[in-house]
Amino acid sequence: MCSIIGYYGNSGAAPIIVNGLKRMEYRGYDSVGVATGSNNQIGLKKGVGKVDEVNSKVQLKELPGKVGIGHTRWATHGKVTTTNAHPHPSNSGKIAIVHNGIIENFEELKKELEIEGYIFKSETDSEVIVNLLQKNYESTNNVKDAVMKTISVIKGHYSFIAIFENGQLAAARFHEPLIIGVKENNFFLSSDVLGFIEYTDNAIYVENGNFVILEKDDLQIFDFKGNNAEYEITKVSK
Ligand code: GLU
């Protein structure tokens, strides 16, 4: 069981993400990584080992920017290596993703993408999601449409968070957990409330089969058909 986390707000993202990952260490994992967005570029660092070990080797917390994603991996597809650790960048490097779960039809999707010229660096199932997002974003130029097209073809169970180089975040939930912590204009996406409870106890429990877009301080939640989804902010009991 791995953990995913995302932050979109007014403070440096990387230290918040690393602290959140540490709070969720009890869930078990074999590798860790963080990607952040700053000045229309995605910076990405990852490695095998515990959060503190990887942070002292590659300084995860020093990645710049106020938006980012992080992951602790429990390998299901592919060995425990730095290349297989998340986040995974898309071929263009303009999108990166963290994923919790399994994509059952990844082999077939990977073959289709390879025929179109996409190159896969990892052995994971997760890397198909980010390259599908790239393909669908390039054809639609719209994050919502790119997410909808992508989730319409992937099968399995997942929650994922994607970061786009322009600083937008998108996340989707299908039979894996995803909770949003809200503190004014700061949003924390997480597998578990422990990922953000030190900052806020206001939480939105994203419904199964919904996806989330964060851009320009605005949170939007949709069902997989693209309709606005209803949600409420509740208090987490501490
Ligand atoms: N299936 C993905 C992998 O093997 C994600 C595993 C996880 O949930 O940590 O990398």
Side-chain angles (χ1 to χ4, degrees), residues 144 147-148 151 169-173 178-182 187-189 203-215 218-233:
K144 183 181 173 189
V147 173
M148 283 178 61
I151 56 189
L169 288 187
R173 168 168 189 225
L178 184 65
I179 307 161
I180 308 174
V182 185
F187 300 95
F188 309 78
L189 303 164
I204 299 166
Y205 289 83
V206 177
E207 292 284 335
N208 192 49
N210 279 2
F211 69 96
V212 177
I213 294 180
L214 275 162
E215 60 172 332
D218 188 31
L219 169 76
Q220 299 174 82
I221 306 184
F222 304 99
D223 65 24
F224 279 9
K225 291 190 184 132
N227 304 309
N228 283 316
E230 292 195 359
Y231 63 86
E232 55 172 349
I233 300 179

Side-chain angles (χ1 to χ4, degrees), residues 2 71-77 84 86 99-101 124-126:
C2 80
H71 190 262
T72 48
R73 178 178 186 231
W74 184 283
T76 64
H77 292 65
N84 287 338
H86 301 216
H99 164 227
N100 171 207
T124 66
D125 50 340
S126 313

Side-chain angles (χ1 to χ4, degrees), residues 67-183:
V67 55
I69 58 176
H71 190 262
T72 48
R73 178 178 186 231
W74 184 283
T76 64
H77 292 65
K79 293 179 283 295
V80 177
T81 62
T82 297
T83 308
N84 287 338
H86 301 216
H88 292 288
S90 72
N91 270 205
S92 64
K94 295 182 178 183
I95 309 172
I97 196 175
V98 288
H99 164 227
N100 171 207
I102 288 171
I103 303 304
E104 284 158 9
N105 59 339
F106 83 99
E107 277 170 333
E108 153 195 342
L109 296 169
K110 190 169 172 173
K111 271 188 208 131
E112 286 168 18
L113 287 164
E114 280 172 339
I115 291 168
E116 292 176 40
Y118 283 83
I119 292 163
F120 285 80
K121 298 184 187 105
S122 81
E123 300 161 320
T124 66
D125 50 340
S126 313
E127 204 181 351
V128 298
I129 308 174
V130 74
N131 283 322
L132 282 168
L133 283 173
Q134 178 185 321
K135 175 182 157 170
N136 295 327
Y137 187 60
E138 282 172 359
S139 68
T140 61
N141 214 11
N142 178 287
V143 170
K144 183 181 173 189
D145 291 341
V147 173
M148 283 178 61
K149 277 184 168 232
T150 301
I151 56 189
S152 72
V153 297
I154 56 178
K155 297 198 176 100
H157 51 98
Y158 52 83
S159 60
F160 68 75
I161 312 172
I163 182 168
F164 290 73
E165 67 169 3
N166 62 7
Q168 294 188 51
L169 288 187
R173 168 168 189 225
F174 194 64
H175 298 295
E176 294 288 352
L178 184 65
I179 307 161
I180 308 174
V182 185
K183 187 183 181 191

